């Protein structure tokens, strides 16, 4: 039997073992979010829940180019980024369900979860609020000469804010080790891109500030990995920031429960056919890294689903924070 050939996609090549590991990560993210959706429908997760189903290749591909000490900042659609950076699914799901065993003791929830021990600095519900935070982190890394790279993920809607533009300007001027990853999914809440800007590609803003840009197919995990890898190398070697624009699509509503009246079903179907998990599985199968009968893919999916089922069971069995936890981990003067 001949050894499987390296897997080649647009802009990237990788060994079969790494390919399977990457597919397993994408399946973990998908299974995690599908479980979160189910728990939300059952009332076990409260508040707004934003899922990134369909966008998994961006977080997975980007994280594959990072070191553990590199720092990731995400927004309100952040589960994929946390998991890709190495967050424990059980602690993450417990956080979403508001349990004391969650990463933030159940007080951060989906939109404000942080797992700094794996370099996932924070999610944030403030659109574009993470960009100046990542800028500060990149400035700190420059002062410390630590070689750490900061990566910030944000959407096309975030690109219309003042803090986005101010941060890009300073990042370029000070050549900071920052990688800006724009997940352009064509919508900000219920507004298509054309309703909030005349600029179709956000990378054009970055060009204005003198930042090198990469446009990638955000549903091609190898293309994302290659683009972010080049950006990280540039940042680590003192070459300053890079703007990576990944074109992708969310297959779920803006939030769980969104009736989705603002888009055509045909558009959804078109993007379902470009599902990043199915595409990558097909590429791996074509390269001989997975068997053509689909047994290997089914096994990868099964492992992810059972891991997440265990995480959900543990999360729901965990206590909710008690009154004594109220002033713990928050900026409050308990003496007053
Ligand atoms: C500062 C701020 N303004 C408005 C909102 C409300 N809001 C939440 S998500 C969102 C759209 C964000 O769109 P985009 O950046 O494209 O991210 P996506 O939801 O597509 O992932 C808006 C306007 C907010 N959370 N924060
Ligand atoms: Mg968007």
């Amino acid at each position: 039997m001949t050894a499987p050939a390296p897997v080649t996609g647009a802009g990237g090549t990788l060994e079969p073992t790494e390919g399977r590991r990457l597919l397993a990560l994408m399946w973990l993210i998908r299974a995690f979010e599908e479980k979160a959706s189910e728990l939300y429908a059952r009332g076990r997760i409260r508040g707004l829940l934003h899922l990134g189903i369909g966008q998994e290749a961006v977080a997975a591909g980007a994280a594959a180019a990072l070191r553990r000490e590199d720092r990731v900042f995400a927004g309100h659609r952040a589960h994929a980024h946390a998991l890709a950076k190495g967050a424990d699914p059980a602690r993450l799901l417990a956080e979403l369900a508001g349990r004391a065993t969650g990463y933030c003791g159940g007080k951060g929830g989906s939109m404000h979860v942080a797992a700094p021990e794996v370099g996932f600095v924070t999610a944030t519900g403030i659109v574009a609020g993470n960009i100046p935070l990542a800028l500060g982190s990149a400035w700190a890394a420059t002062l410390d000469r630590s070689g750490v790279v900061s990566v910030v993920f944000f959407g096309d809607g975030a690109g219309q804010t003042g803090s986005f533009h101010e941060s890009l300007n300073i990042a370029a001027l000070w050549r900071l080790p920052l990688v800006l990853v724009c997940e352009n999914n064509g919508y900000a809440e219920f507004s298509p891109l054309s309703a909030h800007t005349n600029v179709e590609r956000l990378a054009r803003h970055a060009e204005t500030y003198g930042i090198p840009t990469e446009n990638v197919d955000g549903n091609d995990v190898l293309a994302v990995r290659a683009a972010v890898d080049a950006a990280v190398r540039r940042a680590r070697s003192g070459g300053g920031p890079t703007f990576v624009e990944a074109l992708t699509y969310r297959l779920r509503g803006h939030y769980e429960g969104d009736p989705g009246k603002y888009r055509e079903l045909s558009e959804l179907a078109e993007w379902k056919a470009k599902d990043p998990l199915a595409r990558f599985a097909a590429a791996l199968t074509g390269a001989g890294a997975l068997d053509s009968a689909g047994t290997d893919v089914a096994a990868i999916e099964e492992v992810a689903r059972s891991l997440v089922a265990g995480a959900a069971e543990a999360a729901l069995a965990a206590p909710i924070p008690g009154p004594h936890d109220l002033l713990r981990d928050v900026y409050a003067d308990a003496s007053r």
Side-chain angles (χ1 to χ4, degrees):
M1 195 180 131
T2 52
V7 187
T8 306
T13 297
L14 81 176
E15 292 306 313
T17 323
E18 206 194 331
R20 285 192 292 270
R21 194 194 57 73
L22 207 46
L23 183 65
L25 170 63
M26 290 166 81
W27 260 111
L28 174 67
I29 297 168
R30 174 73 55 94
F32 181 96
E33 293 216 296
E34 287 185 353
K35 178 59 77 180
S37 168
E38 179 199 317
L39 296 181
Y40 190 80
R42 285 167 44 200
R44 310 309 296 268
I45 294 176
R46 310 279 182 94
L48 279 182
L49 185 69
H50 306 88
L51 302 182
I53 290 176
Q55 302 187 189
E56 294 89 346
V58 183
L66 300 179
R67 294 181 186 161
R68 191 178 172 86
E69 66 269 23
D70 291 332
R71 297 195 279 253
V72 163
F73 297 76
H76 55 284
R77 207 177 295 288
H79 313 140
H81 313 97
L83 291 169
K85 194 64 178 63
D88 170 21
R91 286 184 72 193
L92 187 62
L93 205 49
E95 187 58 37
L96 267 56
R99 305 295 165 143
T101 51
Y103 269 110
C104 305
K107 290 181 276 189
S110 163
M111 273 190 277
H112 292 102
V113 62
E117 56 266 56
V118 294
F120 180 77
V121 182
T122 194
T124 179
I126 310 298
V127 169
N130 53 357
I131 307 176
L133 294 180
L135 182 84
S137 162
W139 175 227
T142 301
L143 294 177
D144 295 346
R145 300 176 196 273
S146 64
V148 164
V149 173
S150 299
V151 184
V152 59
F153 295 89
F154 52 91
D156 43 296
Q160 320 310 332
T161 62
S163 52
F164 167 88
H165 287 272
E166 292 170 31
S167 301
L168 260 61
N169 186 48
I170 291 297
L173 191 65
W174 294 352
R175 287 175 81 85
L176 298 183
L178 180 65
V179 179
L180 300 129
V181 182
C182 177
E183 294 184 70
N184 184 347
N185 61 11
Y187 289 90
E189 292 186 326
F190 322 122
S191 307
L193 189 67
S194 58
H196 57 88
T197 179
N198 285 337
V199 182
E200 207 178 312
R201 289 298 177 90
L202 281 96
R204 282 183 55 197
H205 291 308
E207 286 162 11
T208 310
Y209 296 106
I211 296 178
T213 62
E214 298 258 10
N215 274 295
V216 288
D217 176 347
N219 283 26
D220 179 340
V221 69
L222 294 189
V224 175
R225 191 185 74 128
V228 175
D229 186 58
V232 167
R233 283 169 197 274
R234 176 179 291 131
R236 228 186 286 286
S237 62
T242 304
F243 191 99
V244 178
E245 180 166 6
L247 285 186
T248 185
Y249 194 83
R250 62 168 159 72
L251 294 173
R252 301 296 274 243
H254 169 60
Y255 56 84
E256 284 297 278
D258 167 10
K261 294 260 162 54
Y262 50 89
R263 58 184 185 182
E264 300 291 336
L265 286 177
S266 57
E267 182 182 279
L268 200 57
E270 212 178 285
W271 279 93
K272 268 193 182 146
K274 299 189 231 175
D275 186 312
L277 276 65
R279 272 179 68 180
F280 191 44
L284 290 172
T285 305
L290 297 173
D291 73 282
S292 52
T295 319
D296 294 336
V297 181
I300 287 174
E301 176 180 347
E302 179 48 34
V303 167
R305 290 207 188 278
S306 78
L307 204 149
V308 165
E313 209 172 301
L316 297 184
I320 58 166
H324 53 282
D325 294 318
L326 209 58
L327 295 180
R328 196 174 292 156
D329 306 323
V330 294
Y331 293 107
D333 183 352
S335 66
R336 293 176 64 196

